[in-house]
Amino acid sequence: RAVLAHYEGASTSTQRSKRLRNEAPNDIAARGATPLRAIARDLERNHDIFRGALRVLVNSTIGPNGIGVEPQPRRRDGTIHTEYAALLSDAWRHHCKRPEVTRRYSDSLMQRLLAYTWFRDGEVFAQQLYGEVPYLRHGSPVPYSLELFEPDFVPMDYNDPGRNITQGIQTNAWGQPVAFHL
């Protein structure tokens, strides 16, 4: 009790005013996310230190070559199926040359772009496209691509409580995202 009595995190002082509002996190985000995103983007454009900090975060998280994948499929007896692993590695190598729909970025550059956007804006979105998709040619023989979206495409002001839509994201009864309204 003596230790808890000295905890000052929740007490008010001349440096820390009393917070009277106890708002839900979604309400706070709705009010502040768009201006904060604009401030972060302005800092990125106009301040080398901010840009350098983002670059350090990306380099520390993703690395220069991206996050690698090494397939290790196992047989029923638990040993690694080396022939199948070699086929998967070959398919993965081809896929990583152009994994996204615009075919502009390699896998490592795409990962770095996603991380950079996530650190700067607080979120990033991608849609997975499998198999035959009208008007899309996948960038490799692997019929799988990602479509990247800036967070601006998800509207912060689109709310429909009757359909469980908050800030453009529709959730099920458990709060799991089931749809993104772009």
Side-chain angles (χ1 to χ4, degrees):
R1 289 180 188 259
V3 171
L4 291 175
H6 294 288
Y7 178 70
E8 298 178 12
S11 62
T12 58
S13 68
T14 56
Q15 288 87 18
R16 193 173 37 254
S17 63
K18 186 174 183 179
R19 307 283 188 232
L20 298 176
R21 295 186 297 190
N22 189 16
E23 296 177 278
N26 283 333
D27 296 336
I28 295 169
R31 188 176 63 253
T34 303
L36 285 174
R37 186 179 298 150
I39 291 168
R41 288 178 179 178
D42 182 66
L43 287 170
E44 176 207 7
R45 280 190 303 272
N46 298 310
H47 297 282
D48 292 341
I49 293 173
F50 189 84
R51 222 176 7 260
L54 284 173
R55 200 169 21 254
V56 167
L57 279 170
V58 171
N59 289 340
S60 299
T61 306
I62 303 298
N65 301 319
I67 298 171
V69 173
E70 182 182 346
Q72 296 185 345
R74 301 197 181 267
R75 293 186 172 97
R76 290 185 188 266
D77 65 359
T79 61
I80 294 176
H81 193 303
T82 54
E83 298 84 16
Y84 187 47
L87 290 171
L88 287 174
S89 291
D90 190 47
W92 180 254
R93 189 173 58 258
H94 286 299
H95 170 71
C96 285
K97 290 178 183 174
R98 299 287 177 250
E100 49 89 37
V101 295
T102 67
R103 299 178 171 196
R104 292 183 193 156
Y105 306 107
S106 66
D107 188 56
S108 61
L109 287 175
M110 180 189 68
Q111 289 178 29
R112 294 176 64 76
L113 177 66
L114 289 169
Y116 196 90
T117 303
W118 177 43
F119 290 137
R120 183 194 62 206
D121 297 342
E123 60 190 356
V124 67
F125 296 94
Q127 175 176 255
Q128 300 182 63
L129 302 167
Y130 301 96
E132 293 292 321
V133 177
Y135 308 109
L136 173 67
R137 286 185 314 131
H138 294 285
S140 74
V142 178
Y144 175 74
S145 296
L146 290 174
E147 183 179 13
L148 311 179
F149 294 103
E150 288 278 340
D152 301 323
F153 285 106
V154 179
M156 293 296 288
D157 58 349
Y158 179 44
N159 298 301
D160 186 351
R163 295 174 49 207
N164 285 340
I165 299 173
T166 304
Q167 297 166 2
I169 301 174
Q170 187 171 0
T171 58
N172 65 13
W174 291 99
Q176 299 166 332
V178 294
F180 295 87
H181 297 270
L182 304 177

